[in-house]
Amino acid sequence: GDSVKTVERAIKTVWASLWNDRAFAEREYFGIDHRTVFMAILVQESFPDEISNGVAVTRNLYRDTEAGFVINMQIGETSVVLPPEGVTSEWLISYLNMNIEFYNDKGSVEYITYSSLNNNKPILSTEQIAHLTNQLSIIKDHFYTKSKAWVKTSYKDYALDVEFKYVMRNGKAVLLIKQAR
């Protein structure tokens, strides 16, 4: 409803950023053919009811020989990428995507750190982490299948960066995938 900061103006500003001086110079510097560059804009709803937000990597960044997903999250809207000074985000490895009975029967989640904003307790329940891990597996499977013609990476080492949120909807915590890349 802002007469100056309109949605149309925001979209035009983002779209035009493909050709601003800095973007053009960066492509020139790295030898990227300008004719091969495309622009996409992510338009999404506001999330005033965030329970948590986070970033997941669909690869085990800590143990190269084992599968697993690394999940970094924080309560509410607090940034996990640039948290305020003195704030620690929650980091964990979920092994719930592995087709190995030992891991799945144990509900295996390895906590590296807990959120300092959540009294050093887990942000999500094991069931929520299992649901998130399952959804991450579906996303990873989809993109790996689509890209395997040109990607020479094994499935275990294929990593996507997925942003997610848990929000309250009708009194229930609901997982939303913000973006995957």
Side-chain angles (χ1 to χ4, degrees):
D2 191 308
S3 63
V4 177
K5 296 180 180 179
T6 65
V7 171
E8 296 84 1
R9 183 179 177 143
I11 290 171
K12 287 178 183 177
T13 301
V14 171
W15 196 265
S17 71
L18 180 65
W19 295 106
N20 69 25
D21 290 340
R22 182 174 171 208
F24 187 85
E26 185 114 354
R27 286 193 299 274
E28 283 290 307
Y29 179 80
F30 287 103
I32 297 171
D33 183 347
H34 299 286
R35 296 171 294 179
T36 65
V37 178
F38 298 90
M39 172 60 83
I41 298 175
L42 173 65
V43 179
Q44 64 190 38
E45 66 178 287
S46 173
F47 300 102
D49 53 355
E50 287 183 37
I51 298 168
S52 64
N53 76 95
V55 176
V57 177
T58 61
R59 178 174 182 252
N60 191 335
L61 302 173
Y62 293 94
R63 293 192 172 79
D64 214 26
T65 59
E66 295 187 39
F69 295 160
V70 174
I71 301 170
N72 176 11
M73 71 183 109
Q74 190 54 273
I75 61 171
E77 298 177 25
T78 304
S79 174
V80 296
V81 177
L82 294 169
E85 188 173 329
V87 172
T88 304
S89 297
E90 182 168 291
W91 286 83
L92 63 90
I93 304 170
S94 174
Y95 297 101
L96 299 171
N97 64 313
M98 297 177 65
N99 292 325
I100 299 172
E101 193 174 310
F102 173 80
Y103 286 109
N104 291 331
D105 288 349
K106 304 284 186 232
S108 293
V109 175
E110 179 180 358
Y111 286 89
I112 298 165
T113 63
Y114 294 103
S115 166
S116 59
L117 299 179
N118 201 41
N119 297 319
N120 295 314
K121 296 178 187 170
I123 293 172
L124 300 178
S125 68
T126 303
E127 293 79 21
Q128 288 172 315
I129 294 170
H131 177 67
L132 172 61
T133 302
N134 183 55
Q135 298 307 302
L136 294 169
S137 292
I138 291 169
I139 293 167
K140 181 175 181 170
D141 292 348
H142 172 79
F143 283 101
Y144 186 76
T145 301
K146 294 285 185 192
S147 64
K148 73 178 180 180
W150 54 270
V151 172
K152 304 295 184 226
T153 304
S154 70
Y155 180 80
K156 180 183 74 64
D157 293 329
Y158 184 74
L160 292 169
D161 174 322
V162 180
E163 293 182 36
F164 67 91
K165 297 181 181 296
Y166 269 93
V167 299
M168 288 301 289
R169 296 285 160 88
N170 300 320
K172 184 179 175 189
V174 176
L175 171 65
L176 300 176
I177 301 297
K178 185 175 175 183
Q179 65 179 331
R181 56 183 174 261

